[in-house]
Amino acid sequence: MDFIAIYNFLFGLNMLINNDNNIKNDNNIKIDNCFIIHLDRALERKKQVNILKQKIPFKVSIISAADGREANANILSMYKPNILRPKYPFKMRHAEIATFLSHRICWQKIIDDKLDGAFIIEDDVSLDSSFFNFIINAALQEIKTGDFIRFPIGNYEKTKLPFRLKNSKALFTPDIIGLGMQAQIVTKDAAYDLLNATQFFDRPVDTYLQLKWIHQIQIFTVIPSGISEISNTLGGSLISKNKSIFDILFREIMRRIYRIKIYILSKFIKR
């Protein structure tokens, strides 16, 4: 058993001791649907999709992801560079645009199906099901309308009050919202607000969510989450592409400058 597994076990045990299993959601929010985002042509990921369907304790729907290879003018027209500040320093790739649109499809389905919300997960993750199921149940006990709860793959985000779970750090507001859209709970009001705010967009979806002073969505993070990414065992990322050394160096410099701007704005601009 490695360090992370031990930490996850002790964290889960602490939650079990300190939380009342009979706590109910006072807001009458029911989350019992899961959307798995899956690109139809990614045949090597179908087995993982079936594994996720077996592990996730909700009604599961497979959402056909938008395909960056087949992006038409109508789809690409939603991408409008330089509409928000700080300026995003890179041109979005077709795959990044398609990823944003895939999440918008999920948000729209929440509204169309008149759901209180849904658990949305990408098809390149693995679940520690025993730990994850406990964590997600704990999160659902505390969720409120308008919330957006992230389940990141790393333990990188720093805590900012308030805690939602009184005796643990399971659910918290991060100082700086992390990157990655592997798994999240999106409530109806959050989905509605995000759809309205992103009819046009100028950066990847996870990068947009960092702009909390713009979208005003209440975003929480769950750490540890029971989520890990396994795209490297499923044919690799569907977004990344080969880059020259010059391009890698340029992007790294620009990325660091951009992250400094996000850090400063996240620290000093109130939501």
Side-chain angles (χ1 to χ4, degrees), residues 53-72:
K53 287 172 66 176
Q54 296 299 316
K55 286 188 173 183
I56 294 170
F58 298 140
K59 175 185 175 183
V60 175
S61 300
I62 308 303
I63 304 300
S64 291
D67 193 340
R69 291 185 184 177
E70 300 177 359
N72 56 40

Side-chain angles (χ1 to χ4, degrees), residues 153-186:
I153 59 173
N155 300 340
Y156 306 119
E157 293 170 54
K158 294 184 179 180
T159 304
K160 180 179 180 180
L161 293 176
F163 297 120
R164 276 282 180 87
L165 299 181
K166 295 179 180 178
N167 294 310
S168 78
K169 297 180 181 179
L171 188 62
F172 63 88
T173 304
D175 284 324
I176 301 171
I177 297 166
L179 298 175
M181 294 290 288
Q182 287 82 8
Q184 60 268 190
I185 296 174
V186 183

Side-chain angles (χ1 to χ4, degrees), residues 64-244:
S64 291
D67 193 340
R69 291 185 184 177
E70 300 177 359
N72 56 40
N74 185 50
I75 289 176
L76 295 178
S77 68
M78 298 184 69
Y79 169 52
K80 302 288 187 182
N82 305 329
I83 59 177
L84 297 173
R85 294 293 181 269
K87 177 182 176 181
Y88 187 66
F90 310 117
K91 181 180 179 180
M92 286 184 71
R93 299 190 290 268
H94 285 190
E96 292 173 320
I97 296 171
T99 297
F100 206 130
L101 295 176
S102 298
H103 282 275
R104 279 182 53 86
I105 290 170
C106 294
W107 303 338
Q108 187 64 58
K109 184 172 175 60
I110 291 172
I111 303 301
D112 292 345
D113 292 356
K114 297 179 171 58
L115 304 177
D116 288 345
F119 176 59
I120 300 171
I121 188 168
E122 296 182 343
D123 64 1
D124 59 349
V125 303
S126 177
L127 303 180
D128 176 353
S129 57
S130 59
F131 184 76
F132 172 76
N133 289 346
F134 180 81
I135 285 292
I136 200 166
N137 286 334
L140 291 177
Q141 290 173 353
E142 297 292 330
I143 196 168
K144 295 182 179 180
T145 185
D147 284 355
F148 186 114
I149 302 179
R150 300 177 57 257
F151 295 78
I153 59 173
N155 300 340
Y156 306 119
E157 293 170 54
K158 294 184 179 180
T159 304
K160 180 179 180 180
L161 293 176
F163 297 120
R164 276 282 180 87
L165 299 181
K166 295 179 180 178
N167 294 310
S168 78
K169 297 180 181 179
L171 188 62
F172 63 88
T173 304
D175 284 324
I176 301 171
I177 297 166
L179 298 175
M181 294 290 288
Q182 287 82 8
Q184 60 268 190
I185 296 174
V186 183
T187 60
K188 175 181 62 179
D189 286 357
Y192 181 82
D193 289 343
L194 285 168
L195 284 169
N196 284 336
T198 62
Q199 296 179 52
F200 299 103
F201 50 83
D202 66 353
R203 64 199 69 202
V205 59
D206 56 347
T207 311
Y208 172 77
L209 286 176
Q210 289 186 310
L211 310 180
K212 56 187 177 182
W213 56 91
I214 292 177
H215 57 64
Q216 298 288 303
I217 305 295
Q218 180 67 71
I219 296 184
F220 289 91
T221 295
V222 175
I223 291 180
S225 64
I227 297 285
S228 58
E229 185 179 23
I230 57 171
S231 61
N232 60 324
T233 69
L234 300 172
S237 171
L238 297 176
I239 293 181
S240 62
K241 67 176 183 178
N242 294 330
K243 305 181 185 71
S244 68

